[in-house]
Amino acid sequence: RQEADRWRAEGLIDNDFYDRLAERYRFDELESEASGTFITVLIGLGSVLIGLGILSFVAANWQYLDKVARIAVLLTALLTVNTGGFYLWQRANSRRIGQGLLLLGAMILGADLALLAQLFQISGDAFILFMGWSIGVLLMAYALGLTSLGTMAIALMGCGYWGAASVGIDAREIAPVWAQWLYVYMPICAVILFLPLAYRCRSPLIFLLGAIAWLSSFQFAATEYTFSSGGVDRPAVVLGCSLPLLIFWAMGRLQEQFANSAYRQRFAHLGQRLAVGSGGLTCFVLSLDYFISDVLRLRPNNSNFADVWDLDRLLFLGVAILLWILLVRHVSRWQSNDWLMLLLGLSIAGLLTAAGLMGNGSWLPAMFFLLLAAITLICIRTSLQTADRGAFYFGWLLLVVRILTWFTFTQTDLMLKSLLFILSGAVTILMGLWFERRLQQSR
């Protein structure tokens, strides 16, 4: 709008053309949109502060109320705030205030669950509260299609899952059955609960957070047996390291093929970025000698290839195969990156399987360092083709950090380390200048 005003003042465009630009780009709505965003932030912050104030007030007078009065106060606050928020959310001129009240109502829901459990002397770990709270907020998010509630539900579920992972198996065994199922089958639940919500809300943020929830829980489940018992569940490690890359890439390419809206295009873009990111970070971690020798413990005394197949591993293995079959059948022209990502995923699975059969993974870090270098080249090549600076810096910095990590833990000479850091900084600057020059030439 500022440029258009300048063009009209300089006589480059007339008033009629300016009016057409103003109508096309909605100049009159820019101020209201900026003001609305500012108001939304303030309403969200104010709702949190009001919620904390209400909780503090109730806590201060809690001991003076009998059981019936306590229940009445809790339910009245929950119903009043959510009803008022829903009423205002339906009105166009007060939608943002309604969203703030609904977010406040979701916070009150958690407080009610905690206080009611205390009132009826229901004991349990905090992760049970977070999981139950998350399910309640998740139902609200599905009903209303609000990104803020969906984000809150994923965050609460993450607190519950990682809280359950930290308390140990003894505490989880005395938890309710539904909480145990949520923990054990969290990778499946993350897909069922969060992926449809992303489409319901048309929110790339929920899609990203849901994908991270699935990836983290799936890979943690693959290595949990290793951490807890000192053994290696090799099928789980193989699938946990290779399937995320294959699933994210195939899902992103299929969505890109059939995307008919802007948010689906963003989902496709996020899927491909998640594939490259998960593959790069996996190769980075597996190229560390410490992780291979002291965490996974791929040693000759663990040479037996464990025959352990859980439901989630079999399910997602089938999903990966199905997605790539659909990719072969419905994408008429494969890109070179499709072949590279398929080869990369199969290489990760093949290397880990060979290490499991041979019982000695001393050569694995070198192999995964080569794969990491290949991912860096893929990222640089893709960034030059698509003018994507993020892909270039991700691949390059991942490789530089890996080299610096190796020198930091293997070399003790401070002068050598100083020289290495200086060289790495200089090469990084030169690579950045080279990339920008090539990008300008390609344009």
Side-chain angles (χ1 to χ4, degrees), residues 23-253:
E23 181 180 359
R24 179 179 180 85
Y25 296 104
R26 301 176 181 178
F27 288 171
D28 55 339
E29 298 180 6
L30 294 179
E31 290 295 340
S32 61
E33 289 179 359
S35 176
T37 302
F38 180 70
I39 291 174
T40 301
V41 174
L42 288 182
I43 289 175
L45 178 60
S47 299
V48 172
L49 295 176
I50 291 173
L52 293 176
I54 293 175
L55 293 178
S56 301
F57 176 79
V58 172
N61 299 276
W62 191 251
Q63 57 183 344
Y64 303 108
L65 303 175
D66 58 12
K67 182 178 290 188
V68 176
R70 292 176 182 181
I71 296 175
V73 169
L74 295 177
L75 295 182
T76 300
L78 180 66
L79 294 176
T80 301
V81 173
N82 280 286
T83 302
F86 180 73
Y87 174 76
L88 294 174
W89 176 74
Q90 288 183 311
R91 301 171 65 90
N93 57 353
S94 58
R95 182 175 292 270
R96 291 185 174 87
I97 299 177
Q99 290 183 14
L101 289 177
L102 289 170
L103 188 62
L104 175 60
M107 296 181 61
I108 294 177
L109 174 63
D112 284 4
L113 291 176
L115 293 174
L116 287 174
Q118 180 185 9
L119 185 64
F120 290 98
Q121 298 181 352
I122 301 176
S123 61
D125 289 285
F127 74 88
I128 304 174
L129 171 64
F130 280 109
M131 286 183 173
W133 188 3
S134 173
I135 292 174
V137 178
L138 197 64
L139 292 175
M140 296 174 61
Y142 268 106
L144 302 175
L146 291 178
T147 301
S148 57
L149 293 177
T151 304
M152 182 178 178
I154 296 175
L156 292 173
M157 186 63 75
C159 293
Y161 178 77
W162 294 111
S166 64
V167 297
I169 189 171
D170 294 334
R172 293 197 296 268
E173 287 180 348
I174 62 176
V177 177
W178 62 268
Q180 297 182 32
W181 275 66
L182 270 178
Y183 176 78
V184 174
Y185 299 108
M186 180 54 67
I188 300 176
C189 295
V191 174
I192 296 175
L193 297 177
F194 303 143
L195 184 60
L197 181 62
Y199 287 93
R200 170 74 174 90
C201 300
R202 299 186 176 185
S203 171
L205 177 60
I206 295 180
F207 182 86
L208 176 62
L209 294 178
I212 293 175
W214 171 78
L215 174 64
S216 58
S217 60
F218 184 64
Q219 291 191 332
F220 177 74
T223 55
E224 184 181 16
Y225 178 77
T226 297
F227 296 141
S228 60
S229 65
V232 179
D233 183 2
R234 289 194 175 90
V237 173
V238 170
L239 296 180
C241 292
S242 59
L243 286 188
L245 182 150
L246 296 174
I247 289 176
F248 281 138
W249 185 264
M251 183 176 61
R253 287 287 287 120

Side-chain angles (χ1 to χ4, degrees), residues 9-10 159 322 425:
E10 294 176 357
C159 293
L322 178 61

Side-chain angles (χ1 to χ4, degrees), residues 144-370:
L144 302 175
L146 291 178
T147 301
S148 57
L149 293 177
T151 304
M152 182 178 178
I154 296 175
L156 292 173
M157 186 63 75
C159 293
Y161 178 77
W162 294 111
S166 64
V167 297
I169 189 171
D170 294 334
R172 293 197 296 268
E173 287 180 348
I174 62 176
V177 177
W178 62 268
Q180 297 182 32
W181 275 66
L182 270 178
Y183 176 78
V184 174
Y185 299 108
M186 180 54 67
I188 300 176
C189 295
V191 174
I192 296 175
L193 297 177
F194 303 143
L195 184 60
L197 181 62
Y199 287 93
R200 170 74 174 90
C201 300
R202 299 186 176 185
S203 171
L205 177 60
I206 295 180
F207 182 86
L208 176 62
L209 294 178
I212 293 175
W214 171 78
L215 174 64
S216 58
S217 60
F218 184 64
Q219 291 191 332
F220 177 74
T223 55
E224 184 181 16
Y225 178 77
T226 297
F227 296 141
S228 60
S229 65
V232 179
D233 183 2
R234 289 194 175 90
V237 173
V238 170
L239 296 180
C241 292
S242 59
L243 286 188
L245 182 150
L246 296 174
I247 289 176
F248 281 138
W249 185 264
M251 183 176 61
R253 287 287 287 120
L254 286 172
Q255 289 192 5
E256 185 180 50
Q257 185 72 17
F258 300 104
N260 53 6
S261 57
Y263 77 93
R264 289 179 180 269
Q265 286 285 353
R266 295 191 65 184
F267 287 177
H269 185 63
L270 279 175
Q272 296 177 30
R273 280 183 172 269
L274 285 168
V276 177
S278 63
L281 293 176
T282 297
C283 290
F284 176 84
V285 172
L286 293 176
S287 66
L288 299 174
D289 298 318
Y290 167 78
F291 188 83
I292 295 296
S293 61
D294 295 338
V295 178
L296 291 183
R297 301 181 181 91
L298 293 174
R299 296 170 180 170
N301 59 349
N302 291 323
S303 59
N304 294 326
F305 193 80
D307 188 16
V308 182
W309 296 93
D310 286 347
L311 175 62
D312 55 348
R313 301 167 200 165
L314 290 175
L315 177 62
F316 289 114
L317 177 60
V319 168
I321 294 173
L322 178 61
L323 287 174
W324 280 91
I325 291 175
L326 293 175
L327 190 62
V328 172
R329 295 189 59 182
H330 294 285
V331 177
S332 57
R333 184 178 179 180
W334 269 34
Q335 299 176 356
S336 59
N337 284 343
D338 296 335
W339 294 104
L340 292 173
M341 298 306 292
L342 177 60
L343 180 62
L344 181 61
L346 295 178
S347 299
I348 294 174
L351 288 174
L352 290 173
T353 302
L357 293 173
M358 296 171 60
N360 188 353
S362 59
W363 46 271
L364 273 184
M367 295 294 100
F368 280 105
F369 180 79
L370 294 178

